[in-house]
Amino acid sequence: MGLSTHVLDTMHGCPAAGMQVALYTLTGGQPALVRRFTLDGNGRNPEGLLYDHSSLKAGSYRLSFDVKDYFRSKGVTLPEPAFLDQVNLDFGVARPEEHYHVPLLVSPWSYSTYRGS
């Protein structure tokens, strides 16, 4: 199935439309940018999967979510520095034949994630 992500804004109770996200591969802990994208109205990559089944490889990855700029763009007054700026999720893909869905539930003060389906 591949790799996908989805972001929900738990402060406003909606998808995080417009949030900037970057995908990296990690080799020896060093990130290499794969792509940047802006989440669509459903809080997802507008192009669909980040990697399809045939392209996803075993290894380490990072999704970097631009939380501070997203909430500021929504008119939320944040302190300087903001409590959350970038949320970086480093995760491993052990079985690339399986689907890896990496959702993020986020507010200006907290976040959670899990391996979804």
Side-chain angles (χ1 to χ4, degrees), residues 6-104:
H6 182 210
V7 182
L8 296 175
D9 170 345
T10 59
M11 178 181 194
H12 297 104
C14 63
M19 183 180 285
Q20 300 292 311
V21 182
L23 171 65
Y24 298 87
T25 56
L26 299 174
T27 305
Q30 297 301 311
L33 180 65
V34 174
R35 71 166 56 139
R36 294 182 191 279
F37 54 96
T38 302
L39 298 178
D40 67 14
N42 293 314
R44 299 176 185 273
N45 176 24
E47 298 174 9
L49 294 173
L50 302 174
Y51 280 107
D52 64 22
H53 172 71
S54 62
S55 301
L56 185 61
K57 306 294 181 212
S60 297
Y61 296 86
R62 172 178 294 160
L63 280 166
S64 181
F65 302 90
D66 194 350
V67 173
K68 176 183 75 175
D69 286 348
Y70 166 78
F71 282 107
R72 284 201 171 138
S73 77
K74 299 296 178 195
V76 177
T77 302
L78 300 174
E80 189 58 49
F83 182 68
L84 294 176
D85 185 347
Q86 299 282 327
V87 171
N88 293 315
L89 301 179
D90 292 359
F91 60 96
V93 171
R95 297 185 179 103
E97 68 279 4
E98 297 178 4
H99 184 65
Y100 283 76
H101 182 62
V102 184
L104 179 70

